[in-house]
Amino acid sequence: MLKERYELGLIGWPADYSLSPLIHKTALLALELEGDYRLFAVPPLPESNVVIDGLMKDMRRCRLHGFNVTVPYKCSILPQMDSLTPQAEAIGAVNTIFHTDGRLVGDNTDAAGFMIDLNDRLKLEPANALILGAGGAARAVAYSMCYAGWQVCVAARRVPQAARLIADFAHLASQPMQAVSLEASDLERHALQCSLIVNATPIGMGNRAGESPWPDSLPLPDGVAIYDLVYRPKETVLMRSARQAGGLVCGGLGMLVEQAALAFERWTGRDAPRAAMLEAAESQLSKM
Ligand code: NAP
């Protein structure tokens, strides 16, 4: 019998740091599926369109079976899609491409990946939440939270970016959403009623590992829970502050694995081996 083979990959720049190849190759191996998951590091130059066009053509011809998309292409790749899932359309960003009968479908698994992991790990009832950042990941988080009945306030260094985000999702919210700055005075006014703060900025990650998106001058609200999308380091400065103040905390590795698992299921139609995927990612991170 001819064995299924999956040619998968990630388009982004830079992409070398990504854990996605390890996570997906682990999943293929665990299910004894043949295939590969390659990095397509495409620098954001005028020629990048030609490279991405070529990859999409290969996908239409079924030479490639599925892609993840990361920064800076999550939005710019939208016009290449034949259709979008409702969540990708609402969020305005694609992180997963699959095909049905040669037609390219853009999906966004960050939103469900975040919400599934939030519910699994922090088990909070929907209430007031503050999202720090208003980029692509913040849009996926805000969409899933509004959908699940959370009251969301978005704080960003560029308030108009936060205002655009809340305008796009206002129809999903049962009460008006707020857009504020990351200044202590704004956060103090809006964070007090929050049971959850989500960091969707890169602050706390990589060469900013010693920093927090939360101002030093402002204590975290009592007992507030933190979900930090950053997963490297395992515990960010923001998470440590909240843990020391008695709050529940969660880093972004579970979301990374869940969004990957949902993408893998789109591509293969098989249940993703989440435990093996998480274990591989944790083991890799512990060596870094
Ligand atoms: P993005 O589209 O570039 O958005 C980043 C947001 O953070 C923007 O609002 C940006 O503001 C803001 N920001 C960046 N540097 C800042 C600074 N120094 N001070 C204040 N605000 C700052 O990136 P993204 O795709 O949303 O990703 C955001 C973070 O989430 C990254 O760390 C990424 O690795 C992580 N992430 C994790 C997962 C997961 O599965 N765990 C999934 C997706 C993303 P400006 O627009 O003004 O720069």
Side-chain angles (χ1 to χ4, degrees), residues 142-170:
Y143 170 82
S144 66
M145 293 191 86
C146 289
Y147 219 85
W150 286 81
Q151 292 305 314
V152 169
C153 174
V154 180
R157 62 178 168 185
R158 290 186 292 126
V159 179
Q161 186 192 33
R164 263 199 311 280
L165 189 163
I166 66 162
D168 287 348
F169 298 140

CSV table of all heavy atoms in Angstrom, one decimal, residues 142-170:
chain,number,residue,atom,x,y,z
A,142,ALA,N,-7.5,38.5,21.3
A,142,ALA,CA,-8.7,39.3,21.5
A,142,ALA,C,-9.9,38.7,20.9
A,142,ALA,O,-11.0,38.6,21.5
A,142,ALA,CB,-8.5,40.7,21.0
A,143,TYR,N,-9.7,38.2,19.7
A,143,TYR,CA,-10.9,37.5,19.0
A,143,TYR,C,-11.4,36.4,19.8
A,143,TYR,O,-12.6,36.2,20.1
A,143,TYR,CB,-10.4,37.1,17.6
A,143,TYR,CG,-11.4,36.2,16.9
A,143,TYR,CD1,-12.4,36.7,16.2
A,143,TYR,CD2,-11.2,34.8,16.9
A,143,TYR,CE1,-13.3,35.9,15.5
A,143,TYR,CE2,-12.1,34.0,16.3
A,143,TYR,CZ,-13.2,34.5,15.6
A,143,TYR,OH,-14.1,33.7,14.9
A,144,SER,N,-10.5,35.5,20.3
A,144,SER,CA,-10.9,34.3,21.0
A,144,SER,C,-11.5,34.7,22.3
A,144,SER,O,-12.5,34.1,22.8
A,144,SER,CB,-9.8,33.3,21.1
A,144,SER,OG,-8.8,33.8,22.0
A,145,MET,N,-11.0,35.7,23.0
A,145,MET,CA,-11.5,36.1,24.3
A,145,MET,C,-12.9,36.7,24.2
A,145,MET,O,-13.8,36.4,25.0
A,145,MET,CB,-10.5,37.1,25.0
A,145,MET,CG,-9.2,36.4,25.3
A,145,MET,SD,-8.2,37.4,26.4
A,145,MET,CE,-8.9,36.9,28.0
A,146,CYS,N,-13.1,37.6,23.2
A,146,CYS,CA,-14.4,38.2,23.0
A,146,CYS,C,-15.4,37.1,22.7
A,146,CYS,O,-16.5,37.1,23.2
A,146,CYS,CB,-14.4,39.2,21.8
A,146,CYS,SG,-13.5,40.7,22.1
A,147,TYR,N,-15.0,36.2,21.8
A,147,TYR,CA,-15.9,35.1,21.5
A,147,TYR,C,-16.3,34.3,22.7
A,147,TYR,O,-17.4,33.8,22.7
A,147,TYR,CB,-15.1,34.2,20.5
A,147,TYR,CG,-16.0,33.7,19.4
A,147,TYR,CD1,-16.3,34.5,18.2
A,147,TYR,CD2,-16.7,32.5,19.5
A,147,TYR,CE1,-17.1,34.1,17.2
A,147,TYR,CE2,-17.5,32.1,18.5
A,147,TYR,CZ,-17.7,32.9,17.4
A,147,TYR,OH,-18.6,32.4,16.4
A,148,ALA,N,-15.4,34.1,23.6
A,148,ALA,CA,-15.6,33.3,24.8
A,148,ALA,C,-16.3,34.1,25.9
A,148,ALA,O,-16.5,33.6,27.0
A,148,ALA,CB,-14.3,32.7,25.3
A,149,GLY,N,-16.6,35.4,25.7
A,149,GLY,CA,-17.4,36.2,26.7
A,149,GLY,C,-16.5,37.0,27.6
A,149,GLY,O,-17.1,37.5,28.6
A,150,TRP,N,-15.2,37.1,27.4
A,150,TRP,CA,-14.4,38.0,28.2
A,150,TRP,C,-14.7,39.5,27.8
A,150,TRP,O,-14.9,39.8,26.7
A,150,TRP,CB,-12.9,37.7,28.0
A,150,TRP,CG,-12.5,36.4,28.6
A,150,TRP,CD1,-12.6,35.2,28.1
A,150,TRP,CD2,-11.8,36.3,29.9
A,150,TRP,NE1,-12.0,34.3,29.0
A,150,TRP,CE2,-11.5,34.9,30.1
A,150,TRP,CE3,-11.4,37.2,30.9
A,150,TRP,CZ2,-10.9,34.5,31.2
A,150,TRP,CZ3,-10.7,36.7,32.0
A,150,TRP,CH2,-10.5,35.4,32.2
A,151,GLN,N,-14.5,40.4,28.8
A,151,GLN,CA,-14.5,41.8,28.6
A,151,GLN,C,-13.1,42.3,28.4
A,151,GLN,O,-12.3,42.1,29.4
A,151,GLN,CB,-15.1,42.6,29.8
A,151,GLN,CG,-16.6,42.3,30.0
A,151,GLN,CD,-17.4,42.6,28.7
A,151,GLN,OE1,-17.2,43.7,28.0
A,151,GLN,NE2,-18.2,41.7,28.3
A,152,VAL,N,-12.7,42.8,27.3
A,152,VAL,CA,-11.3,43.0,26.9
A,152,VAL,C,-11.0,44.5,26.9
A,152,VAL,O,-11.7,45.3,26.3
A,152,VAL,CB,-11.0,42.3,25.6
A,152,VAL,CG1,-9.7,42.7,25.1
A,152,VAL,CG2,-11.1,40.8,25.7
A,153,CYS,N,-9.8,44.8,27.5
A,153,CYS,CA,-9.2,46.1,27.3
A,153,CYS,C,-7.8,45.9,26.6
A,153,CYS,O,-7.1,44.9,27.0
A,153,CYS,CB,-9.0,46.8,28.7
A,153,CYS,SG,-8.1,48.3,28.6
A,154,VAL,N,-7.5,46.7,25.6
A,154,VAL,CA,-6.2,46.4,24.9
A,154,VAL,C,-5.3,47.6,25.2
A,154,VAL,O,-5.7,48.8,24.9
A,154,VAL,CB,-6.5,46.3,23.4
A,154,VAL,CG1,-5.1,46.0,22.7
A,154,VAL,CG2,-7.4,45.1,23.2
A,155,ALA,N,-4.1,47.3,25.6
A,155,ALA,CA,-3.1,48.4,25.9
A,155,ALA,C,-1.9,48.3,24.9
A,155,ALA,O,-1.3,47.2,24.8
A,155,ALA,CB,-2.6,48.3,27.3
A,156,ALA,N,-1.6,49.3,24.2
A,156,ALA,CA,-0.4,49.3,23.3
A,156,ALA,C,0.3,50.6,23.3
A,156,ALA,O,-0.2,51.6,23.7
A,156,ALA,CB,-1.0,49.0,21.9
A,157,ARG,N,1.6,50.5,22.9
A,157,ARG,CA,2.3,51.8,22.9
A,157,ARG,C,1.8,52.7,21.8
A,157,ARG,O,1.9,53.9,21.9
A,157,ARG,CB,3.8,51.5,22.7
A,157,ARG,CG,4.3,50.9,21.5
A,157,ARG,CD,5.8,50.7,21.4
A,157,ARG,NE,6.2,49.8,20.3
A,157,ARG,CZ,7.4,49.5,20.1
A,157,ARG,NH1,8.4,49.9,21.0
A,157,ARG,NH2,7.7,48.7,19.1
A,158,ARG,N,1.2,52.2,20.8
A,158,ARG,CA,0.5,53.0,19.8
A,158,ARG,C,-1.0,52.8,20.0
A,158,ARG,O,-1.5,51.8,19.6
A,158,ARG,CB,0.9,52.6,18.4
A,158,ARG,CG,2.4,53.0,18.1
A,158,ARG,CD,2.8,52.7,16.6
A,158,ARG,NE,2.8,51.3,16.3
A,158,ARG,CZ,2.1,50.8,15.3
A,158,ARG,NH1,1.3,51.5,14.5
A,158,ARG,NH2,2.2,49.5,15.0
A,159,VAL,N,-1.6,53.8,20.7
A,159,VAL,CA,-3.0,53.6,21.0
A,159,VAL,C,-3.9,53.5,19.8
A,159,VAL,O,-4.8,52.7,19.8
A,159,VAL,CB,-3.5,54.8,21.9
A,159,VAL,CG1,-4.9,54.6,22.3
A,159,VAL,CG2,-2.6,54.8,23.2
A,160,PRO,N,-3.6,54.2,18.7
A,160,PRO,CA,-4.4,54.0,17.5
A,160,PRO,C,-4.4,52.5,17.0
A,160,PRO,O,-5.5,52.0,16.5
A,160,PRO,CB,-3.8,54.9,16.4
A,160,PRO,CG,-3.1,55.9,17.2
A,160,PRO,CD,-2.6,55.2,18.4
A,161,GLN,N,-3.3,51.8,17.2
A,161,GLN,CA,-3.3,50.4,16.8
A,161,GLN,C,-4.3,49.6,17.7
A,161,GLN,O,-5.0,48.7,17.2
A,161,GLN,CB,-1.8,49.8,17.0
A,161,GLN,CG,-1.6,48.4,16.4
A,161,GLN,CD,-0.3,47.8,16.9
A,161,GLN,OE1,0.2,48.1,18.0
A,161,GLN,NE2,0.3,47.0,16.0
A,162,ALA,N,-4.3,49.9,19.0
A,162,ALA,CA,-5.2,49.2,19.9
A,162,ALA,C,-6.6,49.6,19.6
A,162,ALA,O,-7.5,48.7,19.6
A,162,ALA,CB,-4.8,49.6,21.4
A,163,ALA,N,-6.8,50.8,19.2
A,163,ALA,CA,-8.2,51.3,18.9
A,163,ALA,C,-8.7,50.6,17.6
A,163,ALA,O,-9.9,50.2,17.5
A,163,ALA,CB,-8.2,52.8,18.7
A,164,ARG,N,-7.8,50.4,16.6
A,164,ARG,CA,-8.2,49.6,15.4
A,164,ARG,C,-8.6,48.2,15.8
A,164,ARG,O,-9.6,47.7,15.3
A,164,ARG,CB,-7.1,49.6,14.4
A,164,ARG,CG,-7.1,50.7,13.3
A,164,ARG,CD,-6.3,50.3,12.1
A,164,ARG,NE,-4.9,49.9,12.5
A,164,ARG,CZ,-3.9,50.7,12.8
A,164,ARG,NH1,-4.1,52.0,12.8
A,164,ARG,NH2,-2.7,50.2,13.0
A,165,LEU,N,-7.8,47.6,16.7
A,165,LEU,CA,-8.1,46.2,17.1
A,165,LEU,C,-9.5,46.1,17.7
A,165,LEU,O,-10.3,45.3,17.3
A,165,LEU,CB,-7.1,45.7,18.1
A,165,LEU,CG,-7.0,44.3,18.4
A,165,LEU,CD1,-5.7,43.9,19.1
A,165,LEU,CD2,-8.1,43.9,19.3
A,166,ILE,N,-9.8,47.0,18.7
A,166,ILE,CA,-11.1,46.9,19.3
A,166,ILE,C,-12.3,47.3,18.4
A,166,ILE,O,-13.3,46.7,18.5
A,166,ILE,CB,-11.2,47.7,20.7
A,166,ILE,CG1,-11.1,49.2,20.5
A,166,ILE,CG2,-10.1,47.2,21.7
A,166,ILE,CD1,-11.6,49.9,21.7
A,167,ALA,N,-12.0,48.2,17.5
A,167,ALA,CA,-13.1,48.5,16.5
A,167,ALA,C,-13.4,47.3,15.7
A,167,ALA,O,-14.6,47.0,15.4
A,167,ALA,CB,-12.6,49.7,15.6
A,168,ASP,N,-12.4,46.5,15.3
A,168,ASP,CA,-12.6,45.3,14.5
A,168,ASP,C,-13.4,44.2,15.2
A,168,ASP,O,-14.1,43.4,14.5
A,168,ASP,CB,-11.3,44.7,14.0
A,168,ASP,CG,-10.6,45.6,12.9
A,168,ASP,OD1,-11.3,46.5,12.4
A,168,ASP,OD2,-9.4,45.4,12.6
A,169,PHE,N,-13.3,44.2,16.5
A,169,PHE,CA,-14.0,43.1,17.3
A,169,PHE,C,-15.1,43.6,18.1
A,169,PHE,O,-15.7,42.8,18.9
A,169,PHE,CB,-13.0,42.4,18.2
A,169,PHE,CG,-11.9,41.7,17.4
A,169,PHE,CD1,-10.6,41.7,17.8
A,169,PHE,CD2,-12.2,41.1,16.2
A,169,PHE,CE1,-9.6,41.1,17.1
A,169,PHE,CE2,-11.1,40.5,15.4
A,169,PHE,CZ,-9.8,40.5,15.9
A,170,ALA,N,-15.5,44.9,18.0
A,170,ALA,CA,-16.6,45.5,18.8
A,170,ALA,C,-17.9,44.7,18.7
A,170,ALA,O,-18.6,44.5,19.7
A,170,ALA,CB,-16.8,46.9,18.4
